[in-house]
Amino acid sequence: MKNISAKYVVSALFVGLCMFAGCGDDTSSTIPLAPNMGAVSSSSADQPQSQPGDTQSSSSENILNPVSSSSVADSGAPASSSDANSSTVTSSSDGAIPPGTEFYTFETTPGTLALAPDADGFYDAGDIYKAVPKTSKIAFVLRHSKRSKNNTGKNSPLTPIGIQMAQTLGTKLAGDEAFYYASTDFVRTRATAENIATGRGETDVEVVTWDEGIYGSYFLTVPSDTLDALVSKRGGNPRYIAQYAYGVPYTNEIVAATIPAYFHDFFQRGNQFVNEVVVANMPNWKRVSVLISHDMLVAPLIILVSKRTIDLKIYEETNHWVNYLSGIAVIVDEAGVVTALPVRGDEVGWMRPRDEVNEGV
């Protein structure tokens, strides 16, 4: 396993506010800067409503946070990470990565950290927080906590169970330091961050709105409602997002003829998120940051960093999908080595959506 390339280490540890190309929608060529602590949250009044399956379109007209946009004109952004690795993969029928191929610019094992995954391949978020030394930085990128099954809109709140789940995760992350919190502009994502902070014992916490960096449809080249129009009556978004992430052929002829153009290259885009959205912005944040998004973002990220070994194959009989509060942890040590691990904030990292009871409480 090779360490992250030199240009990403420079970006993460020394440049801080630098801008990179190619991380927004196809209509933009710049990477979104994360707001600094204390910054006024950006307005997302024109952000499209979410679609079923936690889908939401990105804001393609201006992906820069207004607080940080003044630094764009003379940022001297270097080229995108797309040249880091060729990422064309011919997968086996089960989506496994062929032996001997490598498409990662970060580590995917805990190395010397005293960490072990559970039987499903997830690391407990609390275990990661306790095991990572204070000289390292951590960013948790997580799906929001539990919401009502039949309410996926922008104003969908957490259920009482969801509130308790988030606060319980907060107790696992309890410590003597303040965290940085950011979320998309959804009631459930903001409430998740707030309740994690409550569980940690933090009060009067600012949750920065950062749709431009952690929006759910990051892996899509088109608005999420375009994907919805194609697949909503053919199994729904999660099924096809999973097949995309595992590199498994689409069996529906209409979908197979159309959908490949709807997604970015999986490995290239995933590496770009870890290195350019998260690592490059970590100098702006506190030592530990919590970024709350949606399943459309975190499911492909989990599949990526687990090297397709974790089962989120909702299209198969197991019917596994990403659980609430699951995601990834990105760790940067004092030498600049980047590690990304699949993480769970609840007791289990996956769920079976079709078996879920409708809890409108």
Side-chain angles (χ1 to χ4, degrees), residues 15-27:
V15 180
L17 294 176
C18 70
M19 303 292 290
F20 291 81
C23 197
D25 281 358
D26 290 347
T27 55

Side-chain angles (χ1 to χ4, degrees), residues 67 73 91 112 143 159 226 228 243 250 253 259 277 318 357:
V67 173
S91 300
T112 60
R143 186 186 182 189
T159 65
T226 302
D228 286 339
Q243 287 185 260
Y250 306 105
E253 292 183 4
I259 202 170
V277 174
T318 57
V357 176

